[in-house]
Amino acid sequence: MEKTMAETCSPVLEEMTGDMFPTAVSEEKLQEARRKSLKKIFGSSEVFLDVHGKSGQRTRQTYEDIVQGKATEHYQGGLQYLAQKEWEKAVIAFSKAIYLWPEKVELYVKRAEAFLQLCDFRRAALNLKKACSIGPPVREHIELLARTYYLQGQSSFDQNCHLDAFESFTRAAELQPQNSHYHMRSYIRTFCAGQEEEGRGGSAASMESVGGTLMTISCLAALGRYAECLQLLNKLLEEEQRNPDIYVLRAWLYDQLNKDTFCYQDIHSALSLDPQHQEALGLRDKMMAKAEEAKDKAVNLAVQGQLQDALKKISFAIENNPLSAEYHIFRGTVYRKLSDFSSAVDDFVRAMQLSNAEGRSGSEGMNLHTEAENQLLLTYNDFAVHCYMKGFYQEGALLLNKALKGDRTKKELYMNRGDCFFQLGELAFALADYQQAFDLDEEDWGIRTRIAKLLDEIGLQAQSQKQFRQAERHFSEAIMKHPLLPQLYLHRAKVRRSVQNTTGAQEDAVISVLLNPKSEETAPTIMSFFPGKTLQEILSSKLARSARGVLGRNLETLSYPVTWKVGTQSTREEMDGAIPGTRRDLAVCMTDQQVAEMVVRRRKLKSDIQAALNRQGYLRSSAPRIAGPPQPQEEAPAAQAPYHWKTFGLGLMSTR
């Protein structure tokens, strides 16, 4: 123990003052007197009685120890205030402690927590930044700072201060880039369903899973910067593809950008990950309602004949509900009526794919599939007819091949393909298709007309090749199919005369006159079969009566739908074999009348070509000509001297 200064100095003082002050009292007496006086002043309190300690030794205490002790006292008081939820007093206590001990990190952290409870996020962030700058970064402090920025951004976002909120969320994301879930469900609910987040601005315990990326997206969306939102979400989906909430948020952004197709795709992806996702189901119901409304408008417009407007509406409906087979069937029908056959085919094929994948009952899905298939066949047929009208017969035949793969019970398909083959010069294939159509409906006289015309054409080709027996057979088959075409009898009459069947030839000639007595071709030709007789004598002969009976029996056997009387055929259609009132389920390339006209044109064209080939003319033309440019005159050659042959003397002979 160190000796006190009084004890050290007392012997010296006694020695020095002993002689000078003989009456001086001792040091012990002075100390005793001093204690008594202090006791009279302070009473029983012993705090100030012995400042040097009971042992007489003095405790040494520095200024720093006193300051730190006082700061610790304020810190403990602040903790008590936090426990008692007296946030303002806690802030004051921690502020006093920081004033006395500014390098203590924990003081700033605790004061930041008190500011957070007071929702003073700016001051809380400043305290946490100060705490992080004083010492080495601590993970807990960084997380708390990120959470503080998040709360500050949320507060600014609620006050529609979106730029400030965006800055706060960005700082939070920079501090914790790996944490991207900031109350995902609450923000999706806010954006997609229009509901307010529950517990927004709550305690720090409710923000344990808070990050910054999605709140940044939320702020950008509120600012209308959807393109930047999509960039952030796409980047986020690259890292986390199994989260349905992110798909729903991106679907909402697509909905704001009117990109309904992408919106539906994201909703479908979200529901595939979570079939019970409420926000995704809500968005899907909203889009389906929009689609149904647009479809109803499209139907009304189509009924009014406004097909282009109907097409826009049904296309909008498909964008909102692309998995509806009914919508694709309707749009395909509109495309077909607008002659956009390629698009119609795509829609019908898509409808067939979707008909069994919509989760419908078996019968309903089958009905949709059947309807789509029927519409597809109609489209192929209409497309083929369109190609035929444009002269693309090969393409028309290929389209009809596709249609016939789906349905072989439609006579119109065989008729149209036969017409295409007829134009391509494939008469055998055309005849096979016409015969197939005839087998499906023997009562269709339009098919009979086509077969008869085609057999007549084949017979004429055989006749031109001097194959008279074969030509007669073709003409007879044609007459069996359609006994009211006068040119068939006339052609067979000519062939029979060539094979020396005079009676048959005369009978055919009479029937041709009975069917069409006003024909310019028939009347002169028949006179060559009955030389020396007039037309009246021919028609009143026994042979004419026999021909009438044969013709009548043929018509009764074939159940011809038009009443026929000799010389009273009133319409050209009946004369050419067309039957009024013939109805078709599908569009055809040619009507019965057009078939007859086409055959006549082809025959006339061949006749003109043959006449041009047989016609011989002079090679020199007498038509006036334009004089050509003047030709340069050739100069007369200069006179040349006559050639003189060289003469040889006898010396040449002497060399032998």
Side-chain angles (χ1 to χ4, degrees):
M1 299 291 292
E2 293 183 359
K3 295 182 179 180
T4 61
M5 185 178 293
E7 293 176 349
T8 305
C9 298
S10 57
V12 180
L13 290 174
E14 290 180 355
E15 183 178 356
M16 292 177 63
T17 60
D19 297 334
M20 294 178 64
F21 304 99
T23 59
V25 297
S26 63
E27 185 67 27
E28 289 80 1
K29 294 180 179 179
L30 290 175
Q31 292 293 339
E32 183 67 23
R34 195 177 291 114
R35 283 195 295 271
K36 290 180 179 179
S37 62
L38 291 174
K39 188 174 182 180
K40 290 180 181 180
I41 297 173
F42 297 104
S44 61
S45 178
E46 297 181 357
V47 177
F48 300 100
L49 292 180
D50 190 4
V51 294
H52 302 292
K54 294 181 180 180
S55 62
Q57 297 178 354
R58 190 171 186 174
T59 302
R60 185 177 300 275
Q61 191 174 14
T62 62
Y63 174 77
E64 289 79 5
D65 295 336
I66 296 173
V67 171
Q68 289 181 4
K70 198 64 178 177
T72 303
E73 181 180 348
H74 289 305
Y75 173 72
Q76 295 296 332
L79 293 179
Q80 293 179 2
Y81 289 135
L82 284 179
Q84 298 171 4
K85 298 184 179 180
E86 297 181 4
W87 319 119
E88 293 85 356
K89 293 181 179 181
V91 169
I92 295 173
F94 290 131
S95 298
K96 290 179 179 180
I98 290 173
Y99 181 76
L100 296 174
W101 199 354
E103 66 274 7
K104 185 65 174 177
V105 175
E106 191 65 25
L107 297 176
Y108 293 99
V109 175
K110 291 299 180 181
R111 188 168 70 170
E113 292 181 3
F115 278 128
L116 282 176
Q117 298 299 334
L118 292 172
C119 297
D120 192 345
F121 307 113
R122 185 181 63 83
R123 288 189 173 89
L126 291 175
N127 278 271
L128 290 171
K129 288 176 64 177
K130 182 66 175 178
C132 293
S133 64
I134 291 176
V138 181
R139 184 176 60 85
E140 290 78 6
H141 298 167
I142 294 176
E143 291 179 356
L144 183 59
L145 180 58
R147 190 180 309 136
T148 302
Y149 278 131
Y150 164 76
L151 293 174
Q152 184 180 5
Q154 182 63 50
S155 177
S156 300
F157 187 83
D158 293 340
Q159 298 173 14
N160 293 328
C161 299
H162 300 122
L163 288 176
D164 296 337
F166 174 69
E167 182 179 358
S168 299
F169 294 140
T170 303
R171 291 178 179 177
E174 291 174 353
L175 290 173
Q176 282 191 309
Q178 75 282 359
N179 192 348
S180 59
H181 303 285
Y182 283 102
H183 272 196
M184 174 84 71
R185 288 298 180 95
S186 63
Y187 291 106
I188 292 175
R189 188 180 300 115
T190 299
F191 287 122
C192 301
Q195 301 177 0
E196 293 185 356
E197 177 191 354
E198 298 178 1
R200 182 178 295 173
S203 62
S206 65
M207 300 294 179
E208 288 298 326
S209 63
V210 171
T213 303
L214 289 178
M215 283 310 302
T216 303
I217 294 171
S218 303
C219 186
L220 289 172
L223 291 171
R225 296 161 67 174
Y226 300 121
E228 298 178 26
C229 293
L230 287 176
Q231 292 178 359
L232 290 174
L233 280 175
N234 292 335
K235 184 177 180 181
L236 191 60
L237 280 172
E238 292 177 359
E239 302 173 356
E240 189 170 354
Q241 300 179 358
R242 304 295 301 175
N243 194 330
D245 299 324
I246 303 178
Y247 285 103
V248 174
L249 184 54
R250 191 171 69 171
W252 178 85
L253 290 174
Y254 281 133
D255 184 51
Q256 298 299 312
L257 294 172
N258 294 324
K259 295 182 178 181
D260 300 311
T261 302
F262 296 114
C263 178
Y264 190 91
Q265 291 175 356
D266 279 344
I267 293 175
H268 184 71
S269 300
L271 290 176
S272 63
L273 296 173
D274 184 5
Q276 302 300 325
H277 198 288
Q278 296 300 319
E279 289 75 24
L281 292 173
L283 271 177
R284 188 189 64 178
D285 294 341
K286 175 185 174 183
M287 296 189 70
M288 292 181 68
K290 290 166 57 179
E292 191 64 24
E293 181 182 358
K295 188 252 185 181
D296 294 338
K297 293 181 179 178
V299 172
N300 294 331
L301 290 171
V303 171
Q304 298 172 9
Q306 303 178 20
L307 296 180
Q308 290 292 348
D309 295 336
L311 179 61
K312 294 178 181 178
K313 290 297 181 181
I314 193 61
S315 298
F316 179 76
I318 291 177
E319 289 177 357
N320 284 273
N321 189 6
L323 298 182
S324 175
E326 297 176 358
Y327 295 170
H328 285 282
I329 292 174
F330 183 82
R331 188 172 70 172
T333 304
V334 175
Y335 274 132
R336 181 170 64 84
K337 292 181 178 180
L338 291 172
S339 298
D340 190 353
F341 301 108
S342 298
S343 300
V345 169
D346 293 339
D347 270 332
F348 292 134
V349 171
R350 181 59 176 163
M352 293 170 62
Q353 295 173 352
L354 294 174
S355 58
N356 297 326
E358 291 186 343
R360 300 175 180 266
S361 60
S363 60
E364 187 176 3
M366 184 60 66
N367 292 336
L368 286 174
H369 187 277
T370 303
E371 183 179 359
E373 187 175 14
N374 292 335
Q375 291 295 330
L376 180 61
L377 296 179
L378 289 175
T379 303
Y380 280 140
N381 181 74
D382 291 351
F383 200 180
V385 172
H386 179 76
C387 291
Y388 181 92
M389 297 302 179
K390 298 295 183 179
F392 301 108
Y393 308 117
Q394 187 71 35
E395 290 76 6
L398 294 176
L399 289 169
L400 290 166
N401 289 339
K402 293 183 178 181
L404 286 169
K405 288 181 180 179
D407 189 356
R408 297 182 179 274
T409 62
K410 301 292 185 182
K411 62 181 179 180
E412 292 84 1
L413 299 178
Y414 289 103
M415 292 172 60
N416 290 335
R417 191 172 69 172
D419 293 341
C420 292
F421 282 138
F422 191 90
Q423 294 289 0
L424 291 171
E426 301 289 345
L427 302 184
F429 292 120
L431 181 60
D433 278 338
Y434 290 152
Q435 188 62 45
Q436 187 68 33
F438 178 75
D439 293 339
L440 293 174
D441 186 5
E442 296 183 0
E443 302 298 328
D444 192 333
W445 279 81
I447 303 175
R448 290 178 175 272
T449 302
R450 280 173 164 79
I451 296 176
K453 295 287 186 180
L454 182 56
L455 289 172
D456 182 44
E457 185 71 15
I458 296 174
L460 289 175
Q461 291 182 2
Q463 182 182 3
S464 64
Q465 297 173 4
K466 308 299 182 179
Q467 299 175 0
F468 301 113
R469 293 295 182 183
Q470 186 175 356
E472 182 183 3
R473 186 178 70 254
H474 290 312
F475 293 137
S476 299
E477 292 177 358
I479 291 171
M480 291 177 60
K481 293 296 182 183
H482 202 309
L484 279 183
L485 297 178
Q487 64 269 23
L488 300 179
Y489 295 97
L490 187 60
H491 294 161
R492 191 173 68 172
K494 294 179 180 180
V495 172
R496 284 183 171 180
R497 184 171 59 180
S498 300
V499 296
Q500 306 301 320
N501 187 358
T502 306
T503 304
Q506 291 177 346
E507 183 178 345
D508 286 339
V510 171
I511 294 176
S512 66
V513 173
L514 293 176
L515 290 174
N516 191 11
K518 298 181 180 180
S519 174
E520 297 179 357
E521 179 185 6
T522 304
T525 305
I526 194 175
M527 304 305 296
S528 63
F529 289 93
F530 300 94
K533 292 186 179 181
T534 63
L535 182 60
Q536 188 64 30
E537 294 176 350
I538 296 173
L539 294 178
S540 60
S541 63
K542 182 178 179 181
L543 184 62
R545 290 193 297 271
S546 176
R548 290 190 185 94
V550 172
L551 184 59
R553 288 191 298 270
N554 290 338
L555 294 178
E556 291 177 359
T557 303
L558 296 176
S559 301
Y560 190 69
V562 179
T563 303
W564 174 82
K565 294 181 181 180
V566 178
T568 60
Q569 202 161 7
S570 57
T571 62
R572 183 180 178 185
E573 287 79 6
E574 294 177 7
M575 180 185 66
D576 289 334
I579 307 303
T582 304
R583 301 187 62 179
R584 311 288 186 202
D585 295 334
L586 304 179
V588 292
C589 295
M590 293 186 295
T591 63
D592 300 337
Q593 175 66 27
Q594 290 173 341
V595 172
E597 293 176 354
M598 185 265 296
V599 172
V600 172
R601 286 197 305 270
R602 286 174 59 89
R603 193 174 300 156
K604 185 176 183 302
L605 179 62
K606 289 183 179 181
S607 176
D608 293 343
I609 293 174
Q610 188 64 35
L613 293 175
N614 295 333
R615 184 171 59 248
Q616 297 181 357
Y618 294 101
L619 297 179
R620 180 178 298 176
S621 175
S622 60
R625 296 183 178 181
I626 299 177
Q631 299 293 332
Q633 297 180 358
E634 297 181 359
E635 297 181 358
Q640 296 181 357
Y643 184 78
H644 298 281
W645 294 93
K646 185 177 180 180
T647 58
F648 297 95
L650 296 176
L652 181 62
M653 299 298 295
S654 62
T655 58
R656 297 178 63 182

